[in-house]
Amino acid sequence: MSGNTQQRSGQHDFRQVLQPSPFHPRVEEHCRVKNWTSWNGYQTARVYDTLAAEYFAIRSSCSVMDLTPMEKYRIGGPDALKFLNRLVARDISGLKPNRVTYVLWCNDEGKVLDDGTIFHLRQGEYRLCSQHHQLDWLLISALGMDVSVIVETHEIAALAVQGPTAYSVLTAAGFEGLDQLKPFGILYTQVAGFELMVSRTGYTGDLGYELWTDPSNALALWDAVFEVRDRGLYDLRCIGLDALEMVRIEAGFIMPADDFNTAETTVRAGHDRSPFEIGLGWVVNFDKPHFTGKQALLREKSRPIKRRLVKLAIDGNKPPIDSFLYDGKKGRRIGTIKTQIWSPILKANLAMADVEYRKGKLPKEIWAEIYYQKELEWQVSWARCRISETPFWTHPRRSATPPQSF
Amino acid sequence: MGLDTTQRGRYWDNDTAMKTYDAIIIGAGHNGLTNAAYLAKAGLDVLVVEKNDYIGGASVSREMQEGWIYSSCSYVCSMMRQTIHRDLNLTRHGLVLVPYLGTVSYGDRGETLISYTSEEVNYNALRRHSPHDADAMFRLHTDLARYAQLIRKTLLRTPPDPTSFRPRDIKELLWLAKEFWALGEKELYEYIRFFTMSAADFLEDYFETDLIKAAMASAGIIGTALGVQSPGSAYILLHHVMGDVDGNIGAWGLARGGMGAISNSIAGALKELGGEVRTNAGVEQILVKNRKAVGVVLENGDELTAGIVVSNLDAKRTFTQCMDKNDLPEGIYEKAKNFKIRGSSGKVNIALSAMPKFTGVPDNRYVDRGGHNFVGSLETMERAYDCWKHGRWSDDPFIEAVIPSAWDPTVAPPGKHWMSNFVQYCPSKLADGPWTPEKRDQFGQTVIDKIERYSPGFKDLIVHMEIRTPHEIEAEIGLTEGNIFQGELTIDQLLFNRPFPGYAQYRMPIKNMYMCGSSTHPGGGVSSACGANAAREILMDLKRGNTVPEDDCYDE
Ligand SMILES: Cc1cc2nc3c(=O)[nH]c(=O)nc-3n(C[C@H](O)[C@H](O)[C@H](O)COP(=O)(O)OP(=O)(O)OC[C@H]3O[C@@H](n4cnc5c(N)ncnc54)[C@H](O)[C@@H]3O)c2cc1C
């Protein structure tokens, strides 16, 4: 086992406090309203200009987002596959080189620590991307294995290019071979004279790509993409975390720590969640060798489910922020809304909600009690909620190969 | 009622062995389609007959030059009822409404007023012109919001008939009265004054800068045969700022793929609900037997029978062109003939080889991607109106321009653009004789000459132009005199007076006949509200369950 915790660019600057990403000079220039927040220690834009315009760049034209702060680990060594397949609940033994897959991992009690993606970069070489820092857990899990775990969050600059014209934009920017790149595929290519990796992945549910390169190429990569806009060919907009939050809920993607409490951070008994309880039973494969949490999950599987994170569409237009949920209007309290957005494309309130089951069954009619303010006066209303078993929104262009031009 | 309400769907007329529909809707404008969709949703067998070979009426996308898709008539959207969008699953049927942001207004001397979506950034921009006006903008917005909230609440409701004593009308009148009284006495007088005021006088109370007044007043004349100084234009202003995009009151959006995406998505929902649309099927006449509408005769002579007939055409056209005068009760023909429906606007759609550059606009894409408002000054706009009064198009017209392709990659080839120019004024009848293609082209020339003044080199970018005067608009989509609202929005033609007093509840003087177009409450604009309201009334008469949803309210 070897763990690299010494980072080249991860040095702390006591004056700056938050870390600038390698794209920061460009990000700062585009971020007109200076609406900053922090993400994984980086200074990150929440909104660049106008939230509505950013949202619609993702759904109608093309968006660009600095993805660098996302946690990234390089997993290598003879036991890399064995290590990963024991770490995560999904069977990834069939993951071919140049492919990506979605995974989650649990502690021994079968409670979810985080979710993420595994990139099979080259034969036997992997990248694990996660929402939250996982080095501690990865090193614990690597005990006794011949595997190297290297934090590469700060060593890789990443840019997400997402939206209906993402393919057209990147093709116009000189990226070759995208026409054959399938969803969850990886392509190594060159642009503007340097090497980079492109994956057809994203957190938007739309057509899109993620671009990965050495931080020294970051600005050149940004400029190569934005040159397409400057030539007047396609419109591009930077998007911040607020717009991303909207589209990820529309696409039905969950956010650990927001939609459910991660096991690692849970202090109170019963506040952690199993994969089944967050609706991710589909990424648990029992028919593979031992993986962390398997025994606990097998036991849980044999009992009726107690609760589940569900996708809820809420009637009307009142924002169900932090609302309690009830079994029937004014009935028994059965849960809460975790995260919610107004979906401009669907004209509806959408939410992720934690709902209790009764005798293994969902309540018949879920209602939300919504408190909302008008000119500083609080009002309350009730709204019917409907569970969506599929993503709220999908579009065929997300998976069409070759991709459509818009 | 000539309809067998016990039977779902179609039945056959024994005599002629011809199919009888539950309902025939004349016109596939977005309101006709909405109406049909809600009737179909209630299980009725509906047919929409449209005279053109395309659907959508004034909410349409057309490819006049290969690769460029124009919104030929209406071009921006803010009145569309969100609740209908959601209820009919219009997103799944292809509708995406994208807000566009950042409008520039141009003064006579080349000065520019740049408006932002963010109130605070906008405040900073206005301060360049006048600190006082920047401040007063907040007061204006609050006042407009107060006036607009009342009207917004009525959009998806049927106006009461003030002369009727039916419990439902009394209830609705009481509701309206309550809403009005809630304003307080002083406000109420202000409000009534507001309905009869000119936009210029109204804005005089707020601003000192002429360009700001002119920019704000422009919303008061759009689609209207009024000048900025004419009484009544203040209300039109309100009509144009009461809409919203996702609850952002006053914001406007583009339909991805052009305004036809709205009509097409409603038609998609209609077809899914089992409805039928027939194009190239212009109606010659509405058939009336024993004072009951029984069907239509098409231009090709075909007779179609139906339990009810719903007209999506404007009130004047419906009664004076599609009905036999003898079938009408006394007085209706005259009312329809006198219905105020003067046309005042033209439209010039221009395909461009590149994005035009405008003088005095900072090279900042967050600014110059929205609308371009060529207002000049209050005086220039009033002079433009004078031309119309004299039966000429304005020699220095007001133009509201939008470049949809700046936001929508689907309406022009990559790197190319198209510009929608809404132009005032342009009369439906010229003083010097009928419209000719030459005169139409001269009108177009006037428009591009004006734009060229603000964007040198603009003309070199032109790939194709579609010039539409009220004459073309009437000829193509049947809006009488080219009036964009299917009838003027003056107080005598609003709410329970629309289209005529006594007939504001979508039922017409002939039994089994209804209206569902913009000639009815709440009037013009792409809202689907007229069509949906009419459907609710029809379903009530047919004793079917209501399928029309309640509006999303932002004003409680
Ligand atoms: C130039 C222009 C610009 C506008 N800009 C905007 C804008 O930006 N935003 C906005 O909200 N609104 C705008 N409007 C107004 C808006 O477009 C209309 O109010 C709205 O589209 C009317 O819809 P409707 O369904 O009521 O009627 P229409 O769209 O008028 O539909 C009537 C239909 O009936 C058909 N028809 C006519 N005669 C017959 C017959 N005899 N038999 C069969 N069919 C027939 C017509 O072809 C048409 O399809 C604009 C209108 C115009 C003309």
Side-chain angles (χ1 to χ4, degrees), chain B residues 30-31 50-51 57-58 74-76 283 312 477 484 486 518 525-526:
Chain B
H30 82 288
N31 274 317
E50 164 60 48
K51 78 173 175 75
S74 63
Y75 48 106
V76 285
V283 167
N312 182 200
I477 50 170
I484 76 165
Q486 286 202 353
S518 302
V526 180

Side-chain angles (χ1 to χ4, degrees), chain B residues 289-486:
Chain B
K289 264 187 205 151
N290 305 324
R291 303 227 155 227
K292 284 183 186 164
V294 293
V296 296
V297 188
L298 299 184
E299 278 159 7
N300 67 5
D302 285 0
E303 274 192 35
L304 301 172
T305 56
I308 62 165
V309 175
V310 188
S311 171
N312 182 200
L313 317 188
D314 67 62
K316 190 163 182 174
R317 180 161 304 258
T318 302
F319 291 107
T320 66
Q321 303 210 5
C322 294
M323 294 195 76
D324 185 335
K325 199 175 167 184
N326 300 320
D327 285 336
L328 292 170
E330 190 115 2
I332 293 298
Y333 183 87
E334 286 67 32
K335 273 189 179 148
K337 218 177 113 218
N338 297 331
F339 186 57
K340 269 196 310 188
I341 189 161
R342 294 167 298 170
S344 54
S345 354
K347 181 92 194 290
V348 180
N349 301 314
I350 307 176
L352 298 165
S353 59
M355 181 67 103
K357 285 200 166 39
F358 296 92
T359 317
V361 180
D363 189 18
N364 169 352
R365 51 185 299 288
Y366 293 123
V367 170
D368 63 8
R369 297 244 134 189
H372 297 267
N373 235 347
F374 301 95
V375 292
S377 61
L378 281 178
E379 210 207 308
T380 299
M381 288 205 276
E382 190 62 15
R383 270 193 277 111
Y385 180 50
D386 289 339
C387 295
W388 179 86
K389 282 191 279 189
H390 295 116
R392 293 184 277 119
W393 65 80
S394 312
D395 35 32
D396 190 4
F398 155 64
I399 305 171
E400 181 177 271
V402 178
I403 302 178
S405 48
W407 298 88
D408 180 353
T410 72
V411 291
K416 315 270 193 255
H417 290 277
W418 86 271
M419 186 170 178
S420 159
N421 296 285
F422 185 83
V423 189
Q424 282 200 192
Y425 297 78
C426 189
S428 66
K429 286 190 192 67
L430 293 171
D432 66 355
W435 277 99
T436 60
E438 292 70 35
K439 290 182 193 172
R440 180 198 62 206
D441 291 348
Q442 281 166 26
F443 165 70
Q445 192 62 37
T446 308
V447 172
I448 56 171
D449 284 347
K450 171 144 187 174
I451 300 172
E452 177 82 20
R453 257 165 47 207
Y454 294 90
S455 177
F458 177 81
K459 286 183 193 171
D460 300 335
L461 305 177
I462 298 176
V463 177
H464 173 266
M465 282 215 293
E466 183 195 26
I467 307 165
R468 296 163 73 78
T469 72
H471 178 75
E472 277 78 29
I473 293 172
E474 170 155 15
E476 286 171 26
I477 50 170
L479 287 168
T480 303
E481 295 191 36
N483 182 287
I484 76 165
F485 295 136
Q486 286 202 353

Side-chain angles (χ1 to χ4, degrees), chain A residues 290-308:
Chain A
H290 180 74
F291 64 92
T292 312
K294 186 174 185 181
Q295 294 316 320
L297 291 175
L298 274 171
R299 276 194 303 276
E300 183 180 332
K301 191 94 211 274
S302 65
R303 293 188 299 261
I305 186 164
K306 286 205 196 95
R307 59 189 327 121
R308 187 157 67 94

